[in-house]
Amino acid sequence: MKKDNRKQKKKRPKILIIHGPNLHMLGKREVQTYGKFTLSELNEELEIIAGENNIALATFQSNSEGKIVDKITNSDFDFLIINPAAYTHTSVALRDAILTRQLPAIEVHISNTFKREDFRKKSLISDVVLGVITGLGKLSYISALQAAISLLKK
Ligand code: DQA
């Protein structure tokens, strides 16, 4: 049998970042809580970090619970970073979608949800992900991405 000498190109690991409802309004929405940066500025920064680390990055924002479930269950990725926003506190559907994929995930929040109203202290997501980063503003996402990259490189 002939040996296949073509070098097999190694596929870059893929990280999916999901932004939940109302995060398309970043920069305009409650700036004292969420900061002045926009979603596209945030995504651009994340894409630069991913590019420097040879990671394929996909970002997705939706206000619709069903669309987020579809994204989690139907797309190809190795690691999920998710800010489920208001669905954090209500969505069994998102929790189940994350459980369905059995892939590593980090939950992020821009604000410190523990410093806010009582209903934000409860997350239906936290116990089905590897870890949670909350309250660091834009740095919550950047830290989550750096952690995901380190874990994927292990
Ligand atoms: C949030 C916190 C949630 O309680 C809130 O509903 C959001 C944003 C955050 O990033 O701080 O929409 O997830």
Side-chain angles (χ1 to χ4, degrees), residues 6 15 29 35-37 39 41 52 59 72 76 92 127 136-137 146:
R6 279 173 306 179
I15 298 177
R29 171 191 184 206
K36 287 187 182 152
F37 59 90
L39 187 61
E41 285 164 356
E52 286 167 352
T59 57
I72 295 172
D76 174 35
V92 176
D127 65 321
L136 304 183
Q146 283 164 342

Side-chain angles (χ1 to χ4, degrees), residues 10-16 50 53-57 77-81 103-106 130 144-154:
K10 223 177 147 204
K11 230 180 98 202
R12 289 190 302 167
K14 184 165 179 187
I15 298 177
L16 172 63
N53 285 279
N54 204 27
I55 294 282
L57 184 74
F77 61 88
D78 303 296
F79 203 110
L80 174 68
I81 294 171
L103 287 169
I106 296 177
L130 280 179
L145 180 57
Q146 283 164 342
I149 293 169
S150 300
L151 290 165
L152 285 169
K153 282 186 177 165
K154 261 194 186 165

Side-chain angles (χ1 to χ4, degrees), residues 128-139:
V128 299
V129 291
L130 280 179
V132 182
I133 303 178
T134 187
L136 304 183
K138 201 200 275 183
L139 268 181

Side-chain angles (χ1 to χ4, degrees), residues 21 23 29 34 83 85-86 89 109-111 113 116 120:
L23 293 170
R29 171 191 184 206
Y34 299 114
N83 183 348
H89 319 295
H109 298 284
I110 297 165
S111 65
T113 48
R116 302 182 64 192
R120 294 188 204 273

Side-chain angles (χ1 to χ4, degrees), residues 57-74:
L57 184 74
T59 57
F60 177 75
Q61 190 279 327
S62 179
N63 298 322
S64 147
E65 191 176 20
K67 283 190 183 151
I68 299 174
V69 168
D70 287 344
K71 193 73 186 175
I72 295 172
T73 51
N74 297 335

